[in-house]
Amino acid sequence: MAPLVPGTLSPTRSVPARIARPEYVGRKAPQPYTGPEVQTPETIEKMRIAGRIAARTMDAAAAAIVPGVTTDELDRIAHEYMCDHGAYPSDLGYRGFPKSICTSVNEVICHGIPDSTVLADGDIVNLDVTAFIHGVHGDLNATYLVGEVDEESELLVERTREATRRGIAAVRPGRQINVIGRVIESYAKRFGYGVVRDFTGHGINTSFHSGLIVPHYDSPHATTVIRTGMTFTIEPMLTLGTYQHDTWPDGWTIVTKDRKRTAQFEHTLVVTDTGAEILTLP
């Protein structure tokens, strides 16, 4: 299959004025987050709302995934769903990102920009959706099959979903955060998959990316102790080949250096006394 090439961007979609914007919209970069990683019950409840809207948005867009649909059409569906439910698409305007979700096809690891690209039978595509409402963000993604997909790609997707589940199951208060990556990398190595290192899970709350880093490999530097009430994402990116990457000239689209396929899943979590609660469920 030929490598992906950039398509044509449609005009920027508008958001009704009644919908509150994150502070970074219209600015080059967000303000650094200086708050706590442990959130109040009130903030967590707001994040449940944001996460639920994000999850339902993704379901709405994913229902349109068929051979022949453009990634821009998936963006339109997601954009309108979030706006219709009072949420701002967190991606739109984040560090200048031009669209409302990310659509990462085949060899695109993450941050693919929706455009005129037409999905073909046999492709895989990741939808990454984040909703901002009540001053907080809810962030998730998932990889979908387009039509009839080869067994190697289908297994990659299934196993990446399972790696994400295992990473979530490893969360416990008192453990270092690198236990998450240790579990994910150990599972991925059973199949010879690469585990992307340069893009990670992250703290999330009133900030889209709080500064907390959640590696998906066994990093000796990720020694932050997990505490009840912390909110962050787990979002492993597994590859059929190398974990190394190239960046397209757009400054956003990240592709595997060997152009082999990659899959990803993500949820936003809150740490409980006994494990983790997924906040991004429909």
Side-chain angles (χ1 to χ4, degrees):
M1 187 172 291
L4 196 69
V5 295
T8 302
L9 290 182
S10 64
T12 302
R13 294 189 163 89
S14 62
V15 176
R18 60 181 169 78
I19 295 176
R21 272 75 168 152
E23 54 82 20
Y24 53 75
V25 174
R27 303 176 55 212
K28 289 185 178 180
Q31 295 180 356
Y33 179 70
T34 58
E37 297 298 343
V38 172
Q39 303 304 309
T40 66
E42 291 78 17
T43 296
I44 292 166
E45 182 56 35
K46 291 176 182 177
M47 291 181 68
R48 285 192 184 96
I49 295 169
R52 191 177 305 126
I53 291 173
R56 291 174 177 171
T57 297
M58 193 163 71
D59 284 351
I65 294 175
V66 291
V69 72
T70 64
T71 54
D72 186 68
E73 173 64 6
L74 302 179
D75 182 79
R76 182 195 65 78
I77 294 169
H79 178 93
E80 292 182 359
Y81 189 98
M82 282 186 270
C83 291
D84 287 347
H85 291 81
Y88 184 91
S90 301
D91 288 354
L92 186 62
Y94 180 77
R95 296 185 182 272
F97 193 80
K99 291 296 175 182
S100 297
I101 64 172
C102 298
T103 52
S104 300
V105 181
N106 295 340
E107 70 268 23
V108 179
I109 295 171
C110 57
H111 303 161
I113 300 174
D115 58 18
S116 61
T117 296
V118 177
L119 296 180
D121 188 66
D123 284 341
I124 60 175
V125 58
N126 179 277
L127 305 185
D128 194 334
V129 176
T130 310
F132 177 81
I133 190 171
H134 303 317
V136 299
H137 301 268
D139 184 9
L140 81 162
N141 74 56
T143 303
Y144 298 90
L145 311 180
V146 184
E148 296 294 324
V149 174
D150 65 89
E151 184 180 24
E152 183 180 47
S153 297
E154 187 169 0
L155 286 172
L156 173 68
V157 171
E158 289 178 5
R159 290 165 176 168
T160 305
R161 181 188 288 109
E162 174 63 14
T164 308
R165 188 198 67 77
R166 291 178 180 227
I168 294 170
V171 174
R172 292 288 188 283
R175 291 179 174 177
Q176 291 185 344
I177 212 159
N178 58 9
V179 69
I180 297 166
R182 187 176 307 133
V183 166
I184 290 169
E185 185 174 40
S186 175
Y187 177 73
K189 280 184 172 179
R190 289 167 48 182
F191 311 105
Y193 295 153
V195 182
V196 171
R197 295 183 170 220
D198 290 339
F199 300 90
T200 68
H202 53 89
I204 184 170
N205 37 68
T206 57
S207 172
F208 196 170
H209 299 86
S210 73
L212 176 67
I213 300 299
V214 185
H216 303 115
Y217 65 99
D218 188 5
S219 169
H221 306 294
T223 56
T224 300
V225 175
I226 299 170
R227 291 178 290 159
T228 300
M230 292 176 72
T231 49
F232 54 82
T233 71
I234 295 177
E235 47 184 301
M237 293 145 268
L238 305 187
T239 68
L240 290 176
T242 183
Y243 65 77
Q244 296 177 325
H245 71 273
D246 292 324
T247 305
W248 278 8
D250 61 27
W252 282 105
T253 307
I254 307 298
V255 295
T256 54
K257 188 168 282 290
D258 56 12
R259 304 303 190 266
K260 291 187 177 180
R261 289 188 170 188
T262 175
Q264 182 185 19
F265 286 82
E266 174 188 21
H267 278 297
T268 295
L269 316 169
V270 59
V271 181
T272 68
D273 290 338
T274 57
E277 175 193 345
I278 297 174
L279 298 176
T280 39
L281 294 175

